[in-house]
Amino acid sequence: HKSEKKAKTLTLKLKYFDFSIQSKSQTYEDNFTSELELKKRANEILDSLLPLKKPIRLLGYQLSGFNSDKPKEIHLQTTIDF
């Protein structure tokens, strides 16, 4: 059963080898409507941070700003070409 909930905000969180953390969020005017659009926006946020200043140990994305009162996280694994 697919959820009809759609998000407007995408956050990228980077955890570096030295355990420091960096995050960058982007809120869009419209909700995400497809997985392809979500992947494109996620890569745009990551590209805006390149080149990375130090090695990372963990990278994650979070969706928020859903069109409902209940927050929900969706996990998406993406590939990064280094």
Side-chain angles (χ1 to χ4, degrees), residues 46-59:
L46 179 60
D47 287 346
S48 74
L49 298 173
L50 296 177
L52 297 174
K53 295 177 176 79
K54 49 191 168 182
I56 59 171
R57 64 181 182 89
L58 186 65
L59 178 145

Side-chain angles (χ1 to χ4, degrees), residues 29-60:
E29 189 172 316
D30 296 317
N31 293 329
F32 293 103
T33 57
S34 70
E35 185 177 336
L36 182 63
E37 179 186 5
L38 178 60
K39 288 179 179 180
K40 179 182 177 232
R41 300 290 188 183
N43 284 327
E44 287 173 358
I45 293 174
L46 179 60
D47 287 346
S48 74
L49 298 173
L50 296 177
L52 297 174
K53 295 177 176 79
K54 49 191 168 182
I56 59 171
R57 64 181 182 89
L58 186 65
L59 178 145

Side-chain angles (χ1 to χ4, degrees), residues 61-64 66 70-75:
Y61 290 100
Q62 176 182 345
L63 290 172
S64 59
F66 286 88
K70 296 180 181 178
K72 180 179 177 183
E73 259 187 50
I74 296 176
H75 298 280

Side-chain angles (χ1 to χ4, degrees), residues 65-82:
F66 286 88
N67 61 352
S68 101
D69 294 329
K70 296 180 181 178
K72 180 179 177 183
E73 259 187 50
I74 296 176
H75 298 280
L76 173 68
Q77 186 170 353
T78 191
T79 304
I80 303 171
D81 297 323
F82 287 99

Side-chain angles (χ1 to χ4, degrees), residues 7-49:
K8 285 188 172 187
T9 301
L10 178 62
T11 302
L12 165 67
K13 183 182 272 188
L14 296 170
K15 293 185 180 181
Y16 293 100
F17 78 103
D18 61 359
F19 295 93
S20 62
I21 298 172
Q22 178 181 9
S23 64
K24 183 171 183 178
S25 295
Q26 181 70 46
T27 300
Y28 300 92
E29 189 172 316
D30 296 317
N31 293 329
F32 293 103
T33 57
S34 70
E35 185 177 336
L36 182 63
E37 179 186 5
L38 178 60
K39 288 179 179 180
K40 179 182 177 232
R41 300 290 188 183
N43 284 327
E44 287 173 358
I45 293 174
L46 179 60
D47 287 346
S48 74
L49 298 173

